[in-house]
Amino acid sequence: MLTTVGQFNATTDKAANLEAAAALIGQAAAQGSQLVVLPENAMYSNPDPEAEIVPHTERIDGPFATAIGTLARRHSITVVAGMTETPAAQGERPSNPARP
């Protein structure tokens, strides 16, 4: 199985991060990869460890994961991409999920 590690510097600009991820997914597929692994915080990354990130989280069925899924299907490739999921209940911490 040909696997690609697609590295980019994710930022607080979720649209730009998705654009970078889309380009890497397309490149990996064009090179014959069957799997592309993107950064842990591919959706949103804030260099300030004290920053409030809850407003920037998304549900697992939100726009970022949905777009990644669409890209994966379009390119017939499996994609692993990190994101920060919205807390299930108020007061809980966001999580970086691993879902099948």
Side-chain angles (χ1 to χ4, degrees), residues 38-82:
L38 299 175
E40 178 182 13
N41 291 313
M43 181 185 79
Y44 177 87
S45 183
N46 191 326
D48 178 1
E50 302 299 319
E52 177 58 49
I53 65 167
V54 172
H56 306 286
T57 63
E58 292 184 12
R59 291 173 38 97
I60 199 73
D61 61 353
F64 181 81
T66 299
I68 294 294
T70 298
L71 288 162
R73 285 186 296 281
R74 180 181 306 145
H75 293 287
S76 300
I77 192 169
T78 300
V79 180
V80 176

Side-chain angles (χ1 to χ4, degrees):
M1 171 189 286
L2 183 58
T3 300
T4 297
V5 175
Q7 188 62 36
F8 69 97
N9 291 326
T11 68
T12 58
D13 184 339
K14 291 181 357 181
N17 295 339
L18 182 56
E19 188 176 308
L24 290 169
I25 292 166
Q27 289 171 4
Q31 294 172 355
S33 288
Q34 296 165 301
L35 170 67
V36 61
V37 180
L38 299 175
E40 178 182 13
N41 291 313
M43 181 185 79
Y44 177 87
S45 183
N46 191 326
D48 178 1
E50 302 299 319
E52 177 58 49
I53 65 167
V54 172
H56 306 286
T57 63
E58 292 184 12
R59 291 173 38 97
I60 199 73
D61 61 353
F64 181 81
T66 299
I68 294 294
T70 298
L71 288 162
R73 285 186 296 281
R74 180 181 306 145
H75 293 287
S76 300
I77 192 169
T78 300
V79 180
V80 176
M83 62 174 284
T84 307
E85 187 176 11
T86 302
Q90 189 171 9
E92 289 186 3
R93 295 174 53 154
S95 62
N96 190 340
R99 306 272 173 126

